[in-house]
Amino acid sequence: MNELNDLAIFGSTPAFAEPLHVGRPNIGNRERLLERVNNMLDRRWLTNHGPYVQELEQRIAAMLGVEHCIAICNATVALEIAIRAAGLTGEVIVPSLTFIATAHALQWQEITPVFCDIDPRTHNLDPCRVEDMITPRTAAIIGVHLWGRPCAVEALAEIARRHNLKLLYDAAPAFGCSHRGKMIGSFGDAEVLSFHATKFFNTLEGGAVVTNDDDLAARIRLMQNFGFEGYDRVIYIGTNGKMNEMSAAMGLTSLESLDEFIHVNYRNYKQYQRELEGIPGIQQITYDEAEKCNYQYIVLEVDQAYTGVSRDQLVDILWAEHVLARRYFYPGCHRMEPYRSYFPHAGLLLPETEKVVERLLSLPTGTAVGPDEIGKICQIIRLVVEHGPQVRERLQKLVVKESSYKCQKMNVYRSFP
Ligand code: T4K
């Protein structure tokens, strides 16, 4: 890959025959997993707080240093249950720069998500802006530890305390990360983890609520099982949020490989850092290496003023090479439905979010990606930026063919599940 004609977008063969996804699932020891599945089948205990779920809950609680871990079928339902169990109503302050589930978990229960701007250095809620968003209807703040980087937990705790608000965290991306030596999971009233297939630690689908609050934990445990307290006795409103044994078997097996998954993510992170260094306008977000971190996201900020090409043009170029880079979390929850219709002017209060969502780009990592692939991805990015203005000019000429290119892009996506 030495010259622009080598780029697939200009007609050359794609750099990769197979697609490179951002988050291919990490798979632990298959034999251990199959052994567990066989045990599960022999036992004929498939769900409803089975032995694997109990073991997974105990291990996660011990690892995070929290009193309670309640395994749930996914993080979205875990958020919904935590929000309901905490008794939230009215308005809740959340970032817009997050996966849509954070906002939907509130709106689903007719609680209004009030989108608050981020600190552009951390991509997390800006505590200085949070206080401006508080009204008499505000019940809580839900911070998101985006990319696994901790929120400003001390400042948020202080604001919550002063205004008598609940404080929850969407810690979906932050399993295995710490802040000032304390594991994420023990901040606020409760935190929610995701173990979705695309997270570095997965239970196929899955999640958990972790908390040190005994009463809250008891309510959450009841609510994820229809409110049942023993047979024939329902004492609370509830739903079906249970994790099944198959997921827990995957989780227990994944836990045994956790260090290896993190090691690979770290190795990938450092390689991207080395090979992207010095490319003008390309800034890779960094993690605090003094803390525990899962390094599961490789996120770039693309500054068109220096790269010559926009983030979206770079995405198109990468997709043509079968590198399925993602624009997490474009365009921000406030510009997605139903919020976009409810609050058409929300963006006026979100200037930093609006700037950042135009620049972010997530790249492939995890155990499915190796040094050769990362090397090639970085080479493509370097080549493009070195010839930024020329690439832009050639892309503009391609605009007439844009519709056919977009179709092709969709086909690439469809033909590679
Ligand atoms: N809060 C936050 C901050 C979150 O990030 C999330 C989830 C949640 C809450 C809710 O958690 P869950 O209810 O899901 O437990 C993906 C995931 O579906 C989602 O879990 C995750 N965040 C989000 C960041 O990413 P999509 O729409 O990008 O997924 P998708 O299907 O495009 O998959 C991503 C990549 O992984 C693709 O490149 C394909 C590849 N892939 C995917 C699956 C499912 C595989 O290679 N194998 C697979 O099995 O949302």
Side-chain angles (χ1 to χ4, degrees):
M1 182 83 50
N2 297 317
E3 51 179 82
L4 294 187
N5 284 337
D6 294 336
L7 291 172
I9 201 154
F10 298 135
S12 187
T13 313
F16 300 97
E18 295 292 318
L20 286 182
H21 292 278
V22 288
R24 292 240 102 167
N26 289 327
I27 313 286
N29 184 317
R30 279 173 201 234
E31 276 160 28
R32 285 290 289 139
L33 175 64
L34 296 176
E35 198 184 310
R36 284 193 166 102
V37 172
N38 272 326
N39 287 342
M40 173 190 84
L41 296 174
D42 290 344
R43 218 167 19 224
R44 290 178 190 257
W45 197 278
L46 308 184
T47 184
N48 289 18
H49 213 224
Y52 285 153
V53 166
Q54 291 178 36
E55 188 182 343
L56 185 68
E57 290 180 341
Q58 281 156 15
R59 291 210 178 175
I60 290 175
M63 177 184 153
L64 303 187
V66 290
E67 291 295 322
H68 308 278
C69 170
I70 302 117
I72 307 280
C73 55
N74 62 56
T76 306
V77 172
L79 276 167
E80 287 167 11
I81 294 175
I83 287 164
R84 189 136 185 170
L88 308 190
T89 55
E91 295 175 359
V92 172
I93 296 169
V94 285
S96 172
L97 184 67
T98 177
F99 190 59
I100 194 67
T102 321
H104 277 357
L106 291 162
Q107 191 63 47
W108 192 253
Q109 309 185 67
E110 299 189 352
I111 298 166
T112 306
V114 173
F115 297 115
C116 178
D117 213 0
I118 51 156
D119 178 338
R121 291 164 308 168
T122 64
H123 296 178
N124 286 328
L125 274 182
D126 182 347
C128 302
R129 298 275 75 79
V130 168
E131 224 152 0
D132 302 341
M133 312 305 282
I134 296 174
T135 74
R137 296 189 69 227
T138 307
I141 303 165
I142 301 186
V144 180
H145 304 298
L146 206 67
W147 321 129
R149 299 196 297 187
C151 288
V153 291
E154 291 83 8
L156 292 177
E158 175 54 24
I159 295 170
R161 191 194 56 76
R162 230 175 316 117
H163 295 269
N164 198 22
L165 303 176
K166 298 273 186 207
L167 177 59
L168 303 181
Y169 287 103
D170 177 343
F175 182 54
C177 302
S178 69
H179 172 68
R180 298 194 175 157
K182 195 170 158 192
M183 294 306 283
I184 284 179
S186 48
F187 296 102
D189 294 291
E191 303 209 51
V192 168
L193 304 162
S194 172
F195 309 142
H196 181 260
T198 55
K199 296 286 186 267
F200 85 105
F201 164 85
N202 83 83
T203 61
L204 313 176
E205 287 271 2
V209 186
V210 283
T211 179
N212 286 317
D213 181 327
D214 298 346
D215 293 339
L216 188 62
R219 276 199 299 281
I220 290 169
R221 200 167 276 298
L222 282 170
M223 288 175 104
Q224 53 92 45
N225 187 27
F226 312 100
F228 272 114
E229 189 199 48
Y231 292 130
D232 310 328
R233 194 172 134 78
V234 171
I235 60 162
Y236 221 81
I237 178 83
T239 183
N240 185 352
K242 289 169 284 149
M243 178 181 277
N244 66 62
E245 287 288 278
M246 184 78 205
S247 286
M250 183 73 175
L252 288 168
T253 311
S254 299
L255 267 189
E256 288 161 4
S257 297
L258 203 73
D259 290 346
E260 183 201 324
F261 296 158
I262 292 175
H263 173 74
V264 170
N265 284 349
Y266 179 69
R267 188 197 66 200
N268 292 349
Y269 164 73
K270 295 305 276 185
Q271 186 185 350
Y272 273 115
Q273 239 182 8
R274 276 194 313 276
E275 301 198 13
L276 294 172
E277 201 188 336
I279 304 183
I282 298 288
Q283 184 134 25
Q284 183 179 342
I285 69 148
T286 55
Y287 299 101
D288 181 351
E289 296 191 29
E291 295 288 347
K292 286 200 166 141
C293 182
N294 59 39
Y295 298 97
Q296 72 176 313
Y297 289 99
I298 303 293
V299 183
L300 307 187
E301 281 196 56
V302 180
D303 185 345
Q304 186 176 354
Y306 297 94
T307 54
V309 291
S310 68
R311 183 273 313 268
D312 288 355
Q313 287 171 327
L314 191 52
V315 168
D316 284 349
I317 290 164
L318 289 168
W319 273 63
E321 305 291 350
H322 295 169
V323 178
L324 307 189
R326 298 292 294 269
R327 301 185 295 179
Y328 292 138
F329 287 104
Y330 177 84
C333 297
H334 70 289
R335 290 207 258 152
M336 291 182 169
E337 293 297 353
Y339 316 105
R340 175 194 157 111
S341 298
Y342 291 168
F343 321 114
H345 307 299
L348 293 173
L349 291 175
L350 302 166
E352 299 299 344
T353 303
E354 295 231 313
K355 250 184 264 162
V356 166
V357 286
E358 297 296 335
R359 295 175 169 206
L360 295 175
L361 176 62
S362 293
L363 291 174
T365 185
T367 53
V369 186
D372 290 352
E373 284 134 342
I374 292 174
K376 267 196 206 172
I377 295 170
C378 295
Q379 231 185 323
I380 295 165
I381 296 173
R382 190 173 286 280
L383 176 71
V384 169
V385 175
E386 272 172 2
H387 301 87
Q390 211 183 329
V391 172
R392 192 178 55 220
E393 208 180 298
R394 285 184 68 170
L395 286 176
Q396 272 156 4
K397 288 190 189 135
L398 277 185
V399 164
V400 274
K401 296 187 202 153
E402 191 191 50
S403 55
S404 71
Y405 170 62
K406 277 205 172 133
C407 290
Q408 193 192 331
K409 185 167 156 185
M410 286 319 291
N411 285 337
V412 168
Y413 197 42
R414 277 198 208 103
S415 57
F416 299 121

